[in-house]
Every structure is written in structure tokens, then in C-alpha cells.
Amino acid sequence: MSYQPPQHLLEVLQKIQYEEALPAGDPRYVETQTARGSERTFSRLAKKIGWDPASNQFFPPSQSHVLFFGHVGSGKTTELRQYAQRLNDSKRFCVVEVDAVDKLDVNNLQYTDALMAMAETLVKYLNQSGYRIDEADLAPLHQAVARVVTTRIDGREVSAELKTTAEAGASLLGLFKLLATFTAAAKTNASNKTEWRREVSNHFTALAGAFNHLIRQAEAALHKAGRAERLVFLLDGIDKLRGDDTQRFFVQDAEQLLSIQAFVIYTAPLHLKYGGQLAGKLDADLVLPMIKLQERDGSRCEAGWTALRDLLLRRIARKLFASDAEITRLVEHSGGHPRELLRLLKLCCEYADDLIDAATVERALSQLAADYRYFLEPDDYTLLVQLDHNEIHAGNDERTRQLLYRLALLQYNDGSWRRSHPVVRRLEGYQRALRDAPPVAP
Amino acid sequence: MNAPAPTFDAEQARLAAAAHLQPAHFVEFQRLAKSLIHGPQFQLLIVDCRDERLRAKVLLALAQVQQQAGLRGVELALNDDLSNVQALEARLVDLAAEHQVIHLLDASIWMDATRWESFNLLRERLSASVRARLVIWLNEVSIAQVARYSPDIWAWRSGVYPFPQKIIFGNSPGIFSSGLGIIQNGLISSIAFFGGDEINFQKHVGRSVEISDWLNRPHVPNEIRVPLVEELNDLLSGLHDIVSHGQGGAIPNEFYPVIKECLIRALKGVEMLKWMVMRDHIFPNECSENIVLELRLLDQLFRGHGGS
């Protein structure tokens, strides 16, 4: 049976969940590449790991660590899942998705935890998919991890089960148990977490080497089975690290990340890109752009309008709108941000009884604008007006970064141009700043 | 297609509960209640309400709605019993096992920038382990702090629901003035009719009339009017309490229902004044004749019983 969007406003309301990223194949997913101006984003990503989707040429580098930036809620995870599907379908790659939020403690995450989580997810995948890796090839990593998790802390004895697993011959299942012991401690903030991390850190070169060896063996097994030639780790949720942890993970510990000889894609917060501290250690030029409703010169971007309209109408039946004008107005005021469009839709569902009409939409727009009023300062409005009327991207300061982070300022086409959020332009603070702004030179 | 099945009773409760609130708060209450009842299991709802008495009223009204919708609610006051945000998280996990709605009170006081930052880091864990509607009661300043120090929580907010206590005066001084005149007449009538034997009753009515007189003067700045209307509202509520508890002194018992009725009408009149100015603010062209009509009915009621 074909997919039907919710037919009642209360059902629409019930199904709007901001924390939900759409899995590949979800009927609510809308293709947005043309609308974002990101047709080349997937192609660029694929080329960074050696594959040209157009010609199917494949010359993989030894490793590649790619950061994938985007606005909060702009659809990074949803988009990456689509990319993962395409990479998997190519038979060139096998994508191993590591959900940092689910597997680790993103409130206190270090490269050591990420490494172990990547290893655990890979071993689990190999085991569940029935791949065989020789004991000799598993042994180096098995021994290295066993040494970490059997470290006696404060004189406490290691559990008998863990000891047995550590001392047994190397197997995928045994290795998985050892790795899972570590990641569980990292996730639950167990008392031994710090000591174990120190152990990983002290023996990192050996551990990374053992992991790299396993990766090569896994790739050989995948290749032999005709499944793929290279592994790609998709480390999702890293964009949710706290400020200090983000800096430590991507800046201070970049060398450790780069010692993993694999293809790794990390989701990353947009403000990191413009903080100016990445300094070329990691590949940091991929941004998931916003869906465009207009081009830089102000002309209408039809693909953007179509995509957002489709996106909306997969969340709500068309008959629940009084006319197309209401749909248009909601799309227009979303600024091209999918979550903001859903937020407006939710507001409409809260205000309307059974039909979304012009008055309902107007109230929803005012309410969303009022949300921004809570945190915008007078100087923010001045800056927004200035940015809206200045064609030249003159760089980012802390105030601009904060506006980007809180979506008062949206950027398009890989950040080459920016506009204030359309609902913010409704606020009296913005209007006043606009009146007070010096005239723009012709 | 019809609305999902369990909604009818809950919808009735939502409308009934809203009737006990000031008209100015109808819309926000309806929005909030709708999201609580019909929104997903996990939600972060932010309520902007700085006035404790108003908060208590809204909580009471929400409790009725929650009960009717089969949602178990609980209030968690943030205070020194909770040493840090981790303790708060543990408490929330415990409460979510038994409750579908958790109201977080006094967060504006308990939370500071550091705690908001820590709370921000809980977002993913909260969504996984606290599958409940979290209603966070804040004031305007602390909402700005959420956006600044808990940007991820802010990004997942299910809604912000303002319950302003401050009245915004509109552009209809004529209607406002005539409305006050009607209320004042009613109050004077009630003194004449009931005699005002009981000291509190008389004092309350006297002050109410005095305020009405002040409010009715021309060219009174809005900044002065606002607290006076609030006080008038409080006084009328106090009078209603006195009568409800049978403390009207020498007032004959059989008159209590009538007095109560009068006071309810008078309160309604004040609330309608507020509503009127609010509506004028939102819809400048809409000055409802119904409001004036209602105030005239109130006057007639007073005159009918008091015969001034």
C-alpha cells in the first residue's frame, strides 16, 4: 500500500518528532540535492574516498578523514544515510555506521572511545554477517584490547568472565565482548573509564596498528565475498559534542584520529568550520547546504520550493490546508530549513481546529518569530541587516557564529552567501535596525 | 478520517479547563494542552510564566486535562535537594518510569549558565531514557539562557508558551473607560444593597471602587494602569473568597449566592477588560461589541439586585 500522510491535524501533531532522523527508505524522505545546490556534495564526498560515481572509476587513497558540516537540524544524518545507501549499492564500499550518541557518552567523548566503538561496530558487523577472519589476524587487536580491559584498578579483581574471554583464543565474538566492555564503561561513565582510557592512550600506537590490520583483513574478506572493496566508517553524532570536547576531538587529537588508516566520515558542527582552528589536519570542506528558496541574486529557486512543499506534504495531507497559499507561506518562512518548516507546521496544528487557514499561518509565523525574540540582542539585529545587504562574505566573528548556530542566520551554497531567517525579519528589532541602516551604495 | 479515538474526552477537558483561566491565556493554554495530549511521548515544552499564582492556576487546569487524557503528571521543584544536573537527570529517569508529564518548576532560580550547559549535554540521553513530556517553567530571562547555553535543547524545543501577566493596553480608551464605569456602578450598588457590615468586605469593596475611579481618569499612563487593574482583579478575587467561605458578617445567608454571582460577573468584567485590550493589541480593527454587551449585562445584574 502506498504511503499516506496523516489525514488529521492531531495525527500530524503526534508524529512531529524533532529528535528523529529519517532512516534510508523512509517514505517521508524527499530528495533535496538539487534544492540545496548540493548535487555535487555526494560526488565530492565519494571522490574523497576514491570513487567517481559518474564514471565508476575507483582509485582509493590509503585513508581519508572527512568532516561533514551542517546547520543544527538541517538533515545531516538523514542525508548521510542516503549517501551510505548509495555507497553500499556501489559495491565499492561497505559503510559501517557508528552512532556515537547511542554507543558512547557524547558529553565526554575522546578519540580513545571513538576508536573502540568503531572497532566494536566493525567486529559485530563481521560476526553477524558471517565473515571469517583468521585467529592470527584477530590476535593483535584481541591482545591489545584484553590488556586494556583487564587492567586492575585500585587492586580490584577483574571479573572471571572477562578474564576467561581475555585469555581465550581470539575470535570475533570474544573480541566483540572485550570491545563492548570498554564502550559500555565509556557510555555509563564507569569508574574504570579514566584508567582504561589512559591504557589505550599509553599503548595507542600498538592498538591503532592492530585495528588497522583488522581493517585490512576485513576489507579482504569483503572483497573476496564480492560485497565491497573498502570499509567506510560513518561516525554520526560527533557534531553533538560540547564545545571543549569538540576542540579536543577534532583539533588536539586530530593526529590520533588520522592514525586510523581508513575512510572515516564525521558529522561536525558548523561553528567548528568557521572557528579557524582546524588548520588542514582533517578534510574539512564539505558542508551540507540549506535548501535554497532563492538564488543569491534573488531569483526564485524552483527546486527548493518543490522539495520543501513535497517535504511538507509527506507530513500532512493537502486537504488540511485551506489553499495552496498557506503552504507557500509556510515554505517561504522556513528559510529552507526542514526542522523550521516542521516547527511551523506544529504551530499550525496547535492553533488550528480542523483546517490550516491564512490566520493560522499568520499566528504560527508570529509565534516562531517570538521564539527568536527571546535571545536576539540589539546588536544582533544590526548585524543581520548588515549581512542581508552585503553581498560580500566578509568573514565570521563570534556574534555571526552564534547567529548561525541558533539559526537566526542561515547560509546557502556551502556557505558562500547568507540570509537572516525570514521570521526574524518580521521582528520590530530587525525592522528598526533596517530603518536605521545606512543606505546601500548602488 | 476522524480524529484519533481517545481524543474526545480529552478535548472536552481541554476546553473546560481553559474556561477557568483569564481569556488572555486561553490560546496559549489550549496550545500547550493540545501538545501535551496529542504530541509525541517525548517533548521539551518551555513555558514562559514568571507569576507564581498564575503558574499555579495553569498547573491546576493542566492537571484536569492530563487526568482526562490518562496522562500521569508530576511536579518537580528544582531546589537544593538536587545537587547538580546529574542528580536532576537521575530524578527525571525515576519519575518518567511512572509519569508521562513532568513539570519542572523553579528552573529559573536553580539553573545557571553552567547548569544549562550541563543540561544541554543530556539531550540525547533524555530522549532515550526520559520518555515523557518535560514541561519546563521559566521566565523570559532564563529562556534566553536556554537558547544561549543549551542550544541543543533549544533546537529540540517542542514549543514556547508565553503566559504574560503584564497587560498590554490597546487603542480603545473609550470602551475601556465605559467598561470600568459599569463595574464601578455595580460595586457601589453591591455596597448599597448588602450594607457592607463586614469590615473586610467593606474595605475590599471600598478599595475596588477607589481603584476603578483612578483607572477611569483621563490621561493615566499605562504603566500606572497595569498594576491597578491587577490589584482590582486581586481584590475582586479576595471578595469572592470571603463570600465563598461565608465570612460576610451580617450578610443574610440567602444573599450569598447572589453576591457570589455578582462578584463572578465583576471578575469577568475585569478579565474582559484585559482581554479587550489584548485583542486590540493583536487585532487593532477588532473591537468586539460583545464585550460591551457583557459589561452592560453585569451592570444590569448589579442594578437588579442593588437598585442604585
Side-chain angles (χ1 to χ4, degrees):
Chain A
M1 189 177 159
S2 64
Y3 170 75
Q4 286 287 312
Q7 304 288 307
H8 191 282
L9 286 178
L10 297 180
E11 195 188 350
V12 178
L13 190 63
Q14 215 271 322
K15 290 184 175 169
I16 295 177
Q17 291 174 280
Y18 300 126
E19 72 274 21
E20 179 189 37
L22 300 182
D26 191 292
R28 292 168 296 172
Y29 175 76
V30 174
E31 162 61 51
T32 58
Q33 286 189 36
T34 315
R36 290 179 191 270
S38 66
E39 298 94 331
R40 291 178 57 245
T41 306
F42 172 72
S43 161
R44 285 173 61 202
L45 174 67
K47 284 176 186 168
K48 286 176 189 296
I49 53 178
W51 180 49
D52 178 8
S55 64
N56 199 24
Q57 292 182 87
F58 188 53
F59 300 104
S62 61
Q63 65 175 35
S64 186
H65 291 253
V66 181
L67 307 194
F68 191 66
F69 297 97
H71 272 292
V72 175
S74 62
K76 287 189 294 293
T77 301
T78 300
E79 200 64 18
L80 277 175
R81 285 180 180 167
Q82 304 296 323
Y83 293 178
Q85 178 106 46
R86 290 176 71 182
L87 291 173
N88 279 328
D89 290 347
S90 74
K91 302 280 184 196
R92 300 290 191 191
F93 304 100
C94 173
V95 180
V96 176
E97 188 179 337
V98 184
D99 186 347
V101 171
D102 177 53
K103 199 158 274 306
L104 298 167
D105 179 10
V106 289
N107 304 329
N108 178 5
L109 192 149
Q110 295 186 6
Y111 73 93
T112 49
D113 313 347
L115 168 79
M116 298 298 248
M118 286 160 68
E120 183 202 325
T121 313
L122 172 61
V123 169
K124 185 180 178 184
Y125 170 76
L126 293 171
N127 189 43
Q128 286 182 343
S129 306
Y131 291 102
R132 294 179 62 86
I133 307 288
D134 288 345
E135 186 179 339
D137 291 321
L138 290 170
L141 188 59
H142 183 98
Q143 286 160 11
V145 180
R147 184 172 54 227
V148 172
V149 297
T150 56
T151 303
R152 283 179 62 173
I153 296 159
D154 298 335
R156 276 175 287 166
E157 283 298 322
V158 176
S159 79
E161 188 190 351
L162 189 59
K163 210 170 173 183
T164 308
T165 309
E167 288 169 359
S171 68
L172 282 172
L173 189 60
L175 182 53
F176 169 72
K177 283 181 183 170
L178 295 176
L179 288 161
T181 304
F182 183 96
T183 51
K187 169 91 177 169
T188 57
N189 213 12
S191 56
N192 45 8
K193 173 174 163 173
T194 310
E195 283 78 4
W196 285 2
R197 274 178 173 171
R198 195 177 299 125
E199 277 297 307
V200 173
S201 185
N202 289 343
H203 302 96
F204 187 72
T205 308
L207 216 148
F211 184 37
N212 287 335
H213 181 73
L214 175 65
I215 291 170
R216 297 289 88 79
Q217 299 312 309
E219 287 177 341
L222 290 165
H223 189 50
K224 192 176 167 189
R227 164 69 184 83
E229 293 175 57
R230 293 297 299 269
L231 281 166
V232 177
F233 290 95
L234 172 52
L235 213 51
D236 192 18
I238 304 294
D239 55 327
K240 297 180 176 74
L241 298 191
R242 60 195 294 178
D244 294 347
D245 285 350
T246 304
Q247 290 296 319
R248 187 174 53 201
F249 191 87
F250 286 116
V251 181
Q252 276 104 294
D253 294 337
E255 292 301 337
Q256 280 80 354
L257 297 178
L258 290 165
S259 66
I260 307 302
Q261 289 172 0
F263 298 148
V264 189
I265 302 165
Y266 309 82
T267 52
L270 199 55
H271 61 84
L272 178 71
K273 182 172 172 63
Y274 303 112
Q277 289 171 299
L278 280 168
K281 285 183 172 177
L282 299 161
D283 191 328
D285 66 350
L286 269 189
V287 177
L288 179 68
M290 295 290 300
I291 295 171
K292 288 182 297 182
L293 296 172
Q294 59 176 47
E295 300 294 349
R296 190 173 186 168
D297 61 7
S299 60
R300 185 179 165 95
C301 175
E302 204 54 53
W305 285 90
T306 306
L308 283 181
R309 186 188 153 88
D310 285 356
L311 192 151
L312 190 64
L313 293 179
R314 292 190 194 193
R315 303 286 186 146
I316 179 171
R318 166 64 187 83
K319 66 175 185 181
L320 296 173
F321 287 99
S323 74
D324 275 349
E326 284 76 46
I327 297 173
T328 303
R329 203 149 165 72
L330 288 177
V331 168
E332 180 190 356
H333 284 84
S334 71
H337 194 293
R339 188 181 288 163
E340 290 293 273
L341 182 60
L342 291 184
R343 206 180 289 289
L344 284 170
L345 176 60
K346 179 178 192 287
L347 283 163
C348 287
C349 292
E350 286 181 343
Y351 282 122
D353 290 326
D354 44 23
L355 194 70
I356 297 174
D357 58 12
T360 305
V361 170
E362 191 56 29
R363 280 180 144 186
L365 298 181
S366 295
Q367 183 54 47
L368 184 58
D371 284 7
Y372 283 87
R373 195 187 284 124
Y374 280 108
F375 66 86
L376 287 172
E377 297 171 355
D379 287 347
D380 291 335
Y381 292 114
T382 311
L383 179 59
L384 287 168
V385 168
Q386 207 179 322
L387 292 168
D388 279 346
H389 294 88
N390 195 343
E391 289 296 309
I392 299 160
H393 189 314
N396 295 290
D397 56 11
E398 182 55 27
R399 189 177 287 278
T400 313
R401 278 195 290 276
Q402 289 297 328
L403 292 172
L404 280 168
Y405 197 35
R406 288 170 180 75
L407 305 180
L409 182 65
L410 303 170
Q411 66 176 19
Y412 304 88
N413 277 31
D414 291 0
S416 60
W417 61 279
R418 317 176 274 203
R419 287 286 182 277
S420 58
H421 194 308
V423 297
V424 170
R425 282 180 240 146
R426 295 167 59 97
L427 293 172
E428 56 276 23
Y430 183 92
Q431 291 299 325
R432 190 180 299 123
L434 187 61
R435 282 196 300 274
D436 296 344
V440 181
Chain B
M1 185 180 162
N2 293 325
T7 61
F8 183 76
D9 290 346
E11 283 298 285
Q12 288 296 309
R14 185 164 72 94
L15 294 168
H20 298 298
L21 296 170
Q22 292 182 18
H25 301 135
F26 278 2
V27 174
E28 293 308 313
F29 178 83
Q30 296 280 28
R31 277 182 63 212
L32 176 57
K34 201 174 193 180
S35 270
L36 277 180
I37 303 168
H38 303 291
Q41 198 181 0
F42 174 72
Q43 295 182 69
L44 292 164
L45 303 146
I46 295 172
V47 181
D48 177 3
C49 179
R50 70 177 63 189
D51 185 275
E52 285 195 19
R53 283 184 308 172
L54 176 58
R55 185 182 77 186
K57 276 186 189 176
V58 178
L59 277 168
L60 192 66
L62 285 173
Q64 295 168 24
V65 174
Q66 288 162 200
Q67 189 183 21
Q68 199 64 48
L71 299 170
R72 286 195 69 192
V74 63
E75 293 170 17
L76 174 62
L78 304 189
N79 54 36
D80 290 344
D81 292 346
L82 293 163
S83 53
N84 53 33
V85 170
Q86 284 66 41
L88 170 61
E89 181 191 9
R91 190 88 181 90
L92 289 173
V93 171
D94 284 348
L95 289 172
E98 299 284 332
H99 302 88
Q100 292 80 45
V101 182
I102 304 174
H103 294 277
L104 290 180
L105 310 181
D106 303 331
S108 296
I109 303 163
W110 191 78
M111 288 286 201
D112 55 16
T114 311
R115 282 179 170 167
W116 278 123
E117 281 178 345
S118 301
F119 194 65
N120 190 52
L121 306 174
L122 296 183
R123 183 180 82 162
E124 317 292 343
R125 292 218 298 262
L126 288 178
S127 77
S129 55
V130 183
R131 299 300 295 173
R133 297 133 178 97
L134 292 183
V135 188
I136 311 174
W137 295 75
L138 298 169
N139 60 31
E140 199 177 321
V141 175
S142 48
I143 292 175
Q145 283 190 324
V146 177
R148 183 168 188 78
Y149 300 112
S150 283
D152 297 322
I153 293 283
W154 180 251
W156 274 11
R157 73 192 183 282
S158 301
V160 181
Y161 305 87
F163 285 87
Q165 186 65 12
K166 207 170 185 177
I167 302 157
I168 304 158
F169 281 89
N171 302 319
S172 304
I175 294 176
F176 180 79
S177 182
S178 66
L180 269 177
I182 293 166
I183 289 175
Q184 196 176 35
N185 285 340
L187 285 167
I188 291 166
S189 303
S190 69
I191 290 180
F193 181 67
F194 298 116
D197 295 340
E198 213 285 330
I199 184 72
N200 281 335
F201 189 81
Q202 192 172 15
K203 205 169 143 189
H204 276 60
V205 173
R207 175 66 180 157
S208 300
V209 172
E210 188 183 21
I211 289 173
S212 306
D213 190 41
W214 260 96
L215 288 171
N216 216 10
R217 291 181 185 186
H219 313 303
V220 177
N222 282 348
E223 290 79 5
I224 293 175
R225 273 179 164 176
V226 170
L228 287 176
V229 172
E230 292 298 341
E231 190 183 338
L232 180 59
N233 188 58
D234 290 348
L235 283 166
L236 291 172
S237 301
L239 285 170
H240 183 257
D241 286 347
I242 289 170
V243 174
S244 298
H245 291 95
Q247 296 166 345
I251 300 172
N253 284 343
E254 62 267 31
F255 290 130
Y256 277 112
V258 185
I259 302 170
K260 271 179 77 175
E261 182 70 15
C262 286
L263 287 168
I264 288 167
R265 289 276 184 182
L267 270 168
K268 208 80 178 167
V270 173
E271 286 173 2
M272 283 193 175
L273 279 178
K274 291 181 184 179
W275 191 38
M276 179 177 67
V277 292
M278 285 289 286
R279 283 169 67 89
D280 279 352
H281 181 74
I282 298 165
F283 307 109
N285 299 324
E286 194 176 327
C287 291
S288 172
E289 288 183 5
N290 289 337
I291 296 165
V292 176
L293 192 68
E294 187 65 30
L295 291 172
R296 290 218 171 99
L297 283 172
L298 169 68
D299 188 38
Q300 282 168 13
L301 182 80
F302 277 131
R303 284 170 194 272
H305 289 295
S308 72

